[in-house]
Each structure stands twice: as C-alpha cells, then as structure tokens.
C-alpha cells in the first residue's frame, strides 16, 4: 500500500515527477493520450410519456453524482499551494453553484417533460440554450463562465453515459491513458495489447479498477491529483506501477534507469515462468492450491499459462457491464460454457453477480435512486434477491453450464443465514423449472459457497458454515467494511490495511469456523496475490489461494521457500499483536529471512 502524498518537482530539463498509488507492479514508457471526461456522440431520442419520470430521475441522479465529485475535488485542493488552491476552489464553487442553479436543473427537467426527450439530449439542449445568451458577450470573464457551463454539462453527461470510452479502439498503439477517473466498466474495455498503461486522478488501491489493471498486467498509477493540469497528449511518460510514480518528459538518465528496470523485470519473469509446471508445495511438503481470479473469458489463456489449477473467483458481473441491455440466459450460458470448457476439467467457482456499489449496469441504473453510500447499499446478493428475475436468469444459465465441467456457485457479500437460505430456495426452484423445461438435461446442483467479506459474516461463520459447502474470504471488502475505509477512495488509501489486527482476527475466526465444520476455505482477496502475505496465510492454515493469474508464479515461489512450522509460529505471534505497525514488522522480517 502506498501513500498518496502529492509531489510534483520541476527539474531544470522539464522532467516532472508525480506520486500516486501504484496498483500493479508493471512499468512502461509510453505516450500520453488524454481522455477528457469526453462525450463523443450524445444520444438523442424521444421517450414515451410513461418514461419521462425515469429520464427525470436519471438527470437528478447524474447531478447528485456530479455534486459529490465536485465536493471531493474541493477537499483535494487542500494539498495544493495557496494560490492554485484558491483559484481552483473558486472554479469548483462556480461549478457547484451551476449544478444547483434553477435555470440549469429545472431547465433539464422541463425540457424532458415538454419535448419528451431522453436525459442526455435534455442536458445538451439546456447547455446550448444557456450558452446562446453568452455568445454575443465579449467580456473575458463571462466567456470563461461559458466554458464552465459546458464543463458542468459535460460532467453531468459523463455521469449519464456509462460507457464513454467506446473509442478506446481508436487510440494509438502504445498510448498511456491519462484521465480523471476510469470506472471498472471502462477499464474492462481496454485492450492490454494496445494500451501501454493508464493514470487517473481519482481511484484507490483496492478499487475494482485497480484489480482490473493488475489482472491485465497493465502499468497503472491512480490518485495522481492535478496531473491533468500539467500534461499534454503526445508527451513522453513513464508509468511506474510499482513505486506509484508518474514521470512526464523523462530525461535520458531516467529513461536509462527505466530500461534497466524493465530488463530486470523481464529476466525475473523468465525465471518465474519455469515454476509454471511445478506444484505450490512448501519445503515440508504441504500442498497449496493456486487458482485464478478472472473477470472475462480472455483471461483463461493467461490463467492456464500461469499454471492456475482452477478458477477460484469468476467475477460474473463483468458480463453485465458496458452494454445497454442485460445479457439473456443463452448469452450467459454460452459465456460460462466457454470459460468452463476452456479450463479443461479444472474447477470453476462462479460468483453470482456482484453488481451495485461501483458496478451498476446501465439497464438498471435508472431504476434505483443514487445511494449516498453505494458500497453499503443495494449491492451483490442484496441486489440479486431484490432483482430476482435477473438472478433467476443467471442461476439458470449457471445450472445449465454444470454439464460442461466442475463448477461451484459463490455468493458475494453474504451477511446473514437467511440470505443463503433464500438463494438456495431459488436455486432449487430454478433446477425444478429447468428439469421440467428439458427433462433430458442432466443437472446437478453444484456446491454453494459464501464469500466472507463482511465482518458480520465472519463473526457468524459457524452458523453460515451449516448452510454452505465452502467459504471464500474476500479480504478486499472485508478490510473495507471492517475499517470503514472505502477501497476506491484515494484519499484514505493509506489507511487501507489488511494487516490491521481486526481484519486478521476476522480471518482467523472464519478459518477456525471452517475447520470446525469441515468446510473448505479459500482466500481470494488481493492479499492472496501478494507474496508478502503468503507466510502469514500459510501460517494461519490457508491452503487454497486465488489471485490474478499474473501473481501466481511469484506467490508460488514464496510458498515453495516456506516451511509451515515457522510460518505458523510467526502467524501466531502476529495474531497476538494489537499494533498494526508491529504486525507489518513481524511479517516483513520473516519474509526477509526466506
Ligand atoms: C474481495 O472483496 O476481496 C473480493 C475478492 O471480491 P471483489 O474484489 O470482487 O469485491
Ligand atoms: Mg468483494
């Protein structure tokens, strides 16, 4: 975890360095390609009268999201020097005022009702209408306000249009994307063979955007505040995802340093590749299973090449993003079939959609009011139970897919026994319905597991164990919910610490409950993919790891150097600690001795 302190030092030769949050160990030297919170083509269409309230709700929600963004940006101005901060605050105040101005807000709502047009078209029309009044004015102050109005319009449109980066495919090869923010859905659109890396001004170290960057092996630095004020498209840029550093206009000394680093990394990767077919086994012959977390079918090849023994976490929600409609049963079934067959008999743990929070599909976005705390809102299994028709379609597709290989069903964000019972009931109902629909179909209900990623779930792990066949510990959310730290917020990223004694205790409680109840348990949060944590997890008794496939060789290498006895003793010593810094020292010392 890296500190998110701001640091921009001008060197005489124009090289500029910025620090942010490094979210992948990769490094690249590329060319800046700025993505403005751009709009591309704004869709315009008429809507039937009964859909007018829905379009009006979409606008209100987009405005409230834009307001939240501005509030966050204002807080960040505190890290700047006084003059810049004052200037920026004035600007943001003006934007905030516009977002509450009657002319703007009521204007949009009225246009939707009167002209029966969609939300995006209404925003565009309102901005255009207000701008018309400015065009004759020569005053430079007022013309700057015109730009502000357009910017505010863009901000609202950006919130409305969930997939603004469709044009990724047109971006030149080797580009480093620099932008305000990339949603997990935007990130899923990136082709890692074309894009060299990305840098954003917003976003935390364990956000799903960060996880996507790691799973694509893309160099990425998030939370680099104020970069957009200094950068131009076409500039040379170094992205150091390991140190969390961005360097604009790198000089020759820097370029040499980075070409040495890149070469060293290539050598290391070649060495690690040799581990591919070797088992993850400790020095004293304890066998550990290494599975992969994947988001999309494109990850299968990488997972197999890295020696993954199965898919420990398939994040199915990515099937629902970057599209205006929801995938039907056939489409989901075919996607699952491709993945299951692709894994050639290895087990695939299919997590039911973890939508909501930072991942809400366009088709559902207008249905629900903006939540002040989306991560505490209608997310994951809660949304599944509420949107039961949608859930039934997914479960039916999963049940049909059981014909193609060994699978397990994993339920995200479980916090109560009732939720599991409800889901099991729906699964039974879907099985019966399927059998009736096609009596020849061979369906076996797969093992059903619960993600332990809410502190309450860890504390009742014994009761949950009676209801499920296995557990998967999601330390990303478990850390977030235990410490009340938004995993996607760069402002608190330095406080996000899975080594906090409270998090470790909850992991231990879960492992003990699993052991008592004879239920398998895996760890699939990001700590499973960080070799630093391997001795602790092995010492605590974890024997099933699931991680981004890129991390498998490095974690395997660490596990192969371990002996369980000393790791267990060190884990017990760590569990005795009340001070998180002491925990880190005890763990790092142990790693150094390996
Ligand atoms: C977790 O929360 O640790 C987890 C593995 O799930 P996700 O990162 O998809 O929320
Ligand atoms: Mg999670």
């Amino acid at each position: 975890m890296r500190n998110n302190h701001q640091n921009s030092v001008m060197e005489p030769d124009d090289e500029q360095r910025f620090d942010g949050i490094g979210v992948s160990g990769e490094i690249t030297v590329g060319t800046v390609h700025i993505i403005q919170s751009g709009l591309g083509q704004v869709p315009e269409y008429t809507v039937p009268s009964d859909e007018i309230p829905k379009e009006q709700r979409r606008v209100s929600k987009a405005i409230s999201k834009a307001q939240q963004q501005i509030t966050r940006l204002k807080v960040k101005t505190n890290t700047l020097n006084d003059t810049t901060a004052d200037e920026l605050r004035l600007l943001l105040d003006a934007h905030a005022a516009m977002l509450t101005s009657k002319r703007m807000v009521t204007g949009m709502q009225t246009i939707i009702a009167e002209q029966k047009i969609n939300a995006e078209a209404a925003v565009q029309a309102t901005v255009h209408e207000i701008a018309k009044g400015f065009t004759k004015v020569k005053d430079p102050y007022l013309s700057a306000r015109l730009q502000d109005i357009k910017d505010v319009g863009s901000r609202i449109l950006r919130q409305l249009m969930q997939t603004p980066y469709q044009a990724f495919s047109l971006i030149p090869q080797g580009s480093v994307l620099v932008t305000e923010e990339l949603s997990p859905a935007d990130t899923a659109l990136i082709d890692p063979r074309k894009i060299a890396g990305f840098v954003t001004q917003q976003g935390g170290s364990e956000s799903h955007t960060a996880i996507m960057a790691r799973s694509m092996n893309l160099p990425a630095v998030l939370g680099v505040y104020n970069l957009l004020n200094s950068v131009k498209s076409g500039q040379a840029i170094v992205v150091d995802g390991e140190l969390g550093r961005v360097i604009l206009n790198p000089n020759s000394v820097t370029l040499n340093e980075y070409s040495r680093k890149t070469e060293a990394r290539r050598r290391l990767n070649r060495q690690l590749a040799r581990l591919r077919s070797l088992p993850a086994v400790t020095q004293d012959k304890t066998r550990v299973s290494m599975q992969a977390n994947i988001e999309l079918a494109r990850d299968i090849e990488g997972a197999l090449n890295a020696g993954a023994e199965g898919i420990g976490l398939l994040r199915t929600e990515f099937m629902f993003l970057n599209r205006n409609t929801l995938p039907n049963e056939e489409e989901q079934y075919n996607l699952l079939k491709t993945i299951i067959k692709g894994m050639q008999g290895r087990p695939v743990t299919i997590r039911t959609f973890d939508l909501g929070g930072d991942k809400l599909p366009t088709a559902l976005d207008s249905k629900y009011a903006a939540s002040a705390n989306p991560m505490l809102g209608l997310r994951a299994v809660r949304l599944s139970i509420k949107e039961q028709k949608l859930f039934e379609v997914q479960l039916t597709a999963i049940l049909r897919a059981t014909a193609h290989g060994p699978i397990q069903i994993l339920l995200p964000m479980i916090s109560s026994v009732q939720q599991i019972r409800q889901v099991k009931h729906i699964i039974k109902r879907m099985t019966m319905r399927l059998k009736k629909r096609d009596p020849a179909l061979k369906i076996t209900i797969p093992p059903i597991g619960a993600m332990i990623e809410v502190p309450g779930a860890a504390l009742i792990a014994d009761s949950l164990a009676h209801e499920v066949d296995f557990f998967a510990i999601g330390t990303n959310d478990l850390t977030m919910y235990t410490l009340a730290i938004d995993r996607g917020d760069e402002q608190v990223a330095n406080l996000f610490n899975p080594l906090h004694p409270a998090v470790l205790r909850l992991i231990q409680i879960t492992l003990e409950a699993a052991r008592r109840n004879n239920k398998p348990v895996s760890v699939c949060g990001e700590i499973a993919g960080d070799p630093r944590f391997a001795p602790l997890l092995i010492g605590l008794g974890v024997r099933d790891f699931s991680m981004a496939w890129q991390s498998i060789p490095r974690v395997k290498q660490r596990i192969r150097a371990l002996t369980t006895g000393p790791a267990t003793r060190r884990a017990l010593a760590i569990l005795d600690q009340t001070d998180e810094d002491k925990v880190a020292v005890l763990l790092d010392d142990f790693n150094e001795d390996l």
Side-chain angles (χ1 to χ4, degrees):
M1 250 49 55
R2 274 163 240 293
N3 278 337
N4 176 30
H5 62 274
Q6 184 56 42
N7 167 23
S8 154
V9 186
M10 261 293 215
E11 293 188 7
D13 57 2
D14 243 21
E15 178 175 289
Q16 270 184 295
R17 290 175 176 236
F18 295 81
D19 281 348
I21 303 165
V23 296
S24 76
E26 299 301 315
I27 291 165
T28 193
V29 181
T31 310
V32 171
H33 184 97
I34 297 178
I35 298 185
Q36 292 298 351
S37 297
L39 308 173
Q41 193 68 35
V42 175
E44 289 181 55
Y45 48 90
T46 50
V47 292
S49 305
D50 59 347
E51 287 198 12
I52 286 173
K54 183 176 127 191
E55 291 302 306
Q56 289 177 322
R57 266 200 311 278
R58 288 184 66 219
V59 164
S60 309
K61 198 166 161 183
I63 290 175
S64 88
K65 281 193 188 162
Q67 280 165 338
Q68 283 167 17
Q69 241 182 14
I70 288 185
T71 311
R72 286 176 54 152
L73 286 171
K74 261 187 80 178
V75 173
K76 288 187 182 176
T77 55
N78 297 334
T79 57
L80 300 175
N81 69 44
D82 284 352
T83 328
T84 323
D86 285 348
E87 240 169 63
L88 218 60
R89 262 184 233 127
L90 276 176
L91 183 75
L92 292 170
D93 280 341
H95 284 200
M98 284 175 199
L99 280 169
T100 48
S101 103
K102 214 162 162 229
R103 182 147 181 227
M104 190 99 143
V105 179
T106 322
M108 291 171 191
Q109 304 288 11
T110 314
I111 287 182
I112 293 176
E114 285 178 0
Q115 299 182 19
K116 294 194 173 57
I117 53 173
N118 61 312
E120 291 88 347
V123 174
Q124 184 154 268
T126 310
V127 169
H128 188 68
E129 194 53 38
I130 300 176
K132 261 201 326 211
F134 278 84
T135 44
K136 295 179 200 82
V137 187
K138 291 271 183 298
D139 182 290
Y141 173 79
L142 285 178
S143 61
R145 299 281 75 84
L146 172 61
Q147 189 52 46
D148 288 346
I149 287 165
K150 288 184 178 162
D151 288 349
V152 168
S154 303
R155 201 178 275 284
I156 303 172
L157 281 170
R158 167 90 171 87
Q159 296 299 337
L160 282 169
M161 294 158 68
Q162 298 286 312
T163 56
Y165 298 135
Q166 298 288 14
F168 272 159
S169 54
L170 306 174
I171 292 172
Q173 183 95 21
S175 296
V176 169
L177 307 181
V178 177
T179 185
E180 176 68 34
E181 188 177 13
L182 272 184
S183 71
D186 296 332
T187 316
L189 292 173
I190 293 178
D191 179 349
R193 288 163 306 185
K194 280 197 73 181
I195 303 294
F198 66 85
V199 184
T200 66
Q201 296 205 144
Q202 291 189 33
S205 61
E206 305 307 316
S207 61
H208 285 101
T209 300
I211 290 173
M212 287 296 285
R214 281 193 279 274
S215 87
M216 288 191 281
N217 242 4
L218 265 185
V221 180
L222 308 187
V224 188
Y225 182 49
N226 216 20
L227 178 66
L228 282 167
N229 285 343
S230 314
V231 70
K232 286 195 192 66
S233 279
Q235 261 179 326
I237 185 170
V238 172
V239 182
D240 184 337
E242 187 168 19
L243 290 180
R245 176 157 298 161
V246 174
I247 306 171
L248 289 180
N249 297 327
N251 60 31
S252 54
V253 178
T254 304
L255 286 173
N256 283 340
E257 178 194 333
Y258 274 93
S259 92
R260 276 196 304 279
K261 277 191 178 187
T262 313
E263 191 38 50
R265 181 159 276 279
R266 274 200 206 109
R267 267 200 309 277
L268 179 69
N269 285 343
R270 277 197 296 272
Q271 276 168 17
L272 289 172
R274 293 192 204 116
L275 291 175
R276 188 191 150 211
S277 49
L278 297 178
V281 63
T282 61
Q283 293 283 312
D284 54 323
K285 304 280 176 274
T286 301
R287 183 74 168 86
V288 179
S289 143
M290 307 288 278
Q291 303 204 63
N293 294 348
I294 68 166
E295 284 80 38
L296 302 161
R298 72 176 179 203
D299 295 320
I300 290 178
E301 198 188 329
L304 289 175
N305 282 338
E309 295 167 67
I311 302 298
L313 174 64
L314 167 59
R315 291 183 166 102
T316 59
E317 56 274 14
F318 281 86
M319 294 178 187
F320 295 73
L321 303 177
N322 293 318
R323 47 187 299 150
N324 293 322
T325 55
L326 296 163
N328 64 21
E329 180 192 312
E330 204 54 28
E331 195 180 337
Q332 292 187 53
Y333 163 71
N334 282 321
L335 283 166
L336 293 172
K337 186 165 107 180
T338 308
I339 292 171
I340 297 164
K341 284 192 145 185
M343 288 307 291
Q344 303 159 17
R346 295 171 185 82
V348 176
T349 300
I350 304 174
R351 181 174 74 183
T352 58
F353 54 73
D354 182 359
L355 292 167
D358 58 349
K359 295 173 290 189
L360 197 60
T362 317
L364 289 182
D365 192 44
S366 56
K367 194 165 166 189
Y368 295 104
S371 166
N373 299 297
M375 292 298 202
L376 300 180
L378 203 52
R379 184 189 159 188
V381 76
R382 301 172 183 181
L383 183 72
S384 302
I385 289 170
K386 177 125 181 160
E387 282 290 332
Q388 225 169 97
K389 287 271 168 295
L390 190 65
F391 194 36
E392 286 175 6
V393 171
Q394 180 177 48
L395 290 172
T396 309
I398 296 175
L399 289 168
R400 281 176 62 197
T402 56
H404 303 291
I407 68 162
Q408 314 196 97
I409 297 180
L410 177 59
L411 308 173
M413 214 184 162
I414 287 291
S415 58
S416 74
V417 167
Q418 285 80 357
Q419 284 170 329
I420 301 174
R421 290 192 187 134
Q422 267 173 294
V423 173
K424 286 202 310 197
H425 182 72
I426 304 172
I427 292 177
K428 267 199 199 117
R429 202 153 41 80
M430 288 308 104
T431 311
M432 272 164 10
R433 196 186 284 177
L434 248 183
K435 282 187 174 156
K436 216 157 151 194
R437 194 171 92 186
D438 185 352
L441 219 59
K442 274 207 200 81
I443 306 163
T444 37
I445 297 188
I448 297 167
M451 286 213 62
I452 304 295
E453 48 187 354
V454 173
L459 294 171
I460 58 160
D462 264 309
S463 325
L464 297 178
H466 294 145
E467 294 292 333
V468 292
D469 302 300
F470 67 97
F471 285 151
I473 305 180
T475 49
N476 310 333
D477 281 317
L478 188 61
T479 307
M480 166 167 88
Y481 292 126
T482 305
L483 305 179
I485 290 164
D486 186 341
R487 60 194 266 193
D489 185 345
E490 68 284 356
Q491 300 174 95
V492 285
N494 59 329
L495 300 175
F496 188 95
N497 183 13
L499 288 179
H500 189 290
V503 179
L504 298 183
R505 250 167 240 162
L506 291 167
I507 296 175
Q508 185 198 20
I509 289 171
T510 309
L511 293 170
E512 282 173 355
R515 216 171 290 144
R516 265 194 300 276
N517 294 280
N518 220 2
K519 300 284 154 106
V521 56
S522 67
V523 173
C524 61
E526 291 299 286
I527 66 169
D530 187 339
R532 181 185 180 215
F533 294 91
L536 175 62
L537 294 175
I538 294 287
L540 289 172
V542 177
R543 297 292 178 262
D544 193 350
F545 287 54
S546 192
M547 64 198 79
W549 59 262
Q550 291 83 352
S551 306
I552 291 178
R554 288 193 308 141
V555 177
K556 194 190 272 185
Q557 187 187 42
R558 183 65 50 94
I559 289 175
R560 288 174 63 86
L562 279 173
T563 310
T564 42
T568 308
R569 283 193 290 282
R570 185 54 61 111
L572 290 175
I574 284 175
L575 284 174
D576 272 345
Q577 302 305 316
T578 50
D579 175 339
E580 51 192 297
D581 293 339
K582 194 79 194 292
V583 169
V585 170
L586 280 174
L587 184 58
D588 293 338
D589 274 359
F590 191 82
N591 273 314
E592 263 170 33
D593 292 341
L594 285 174

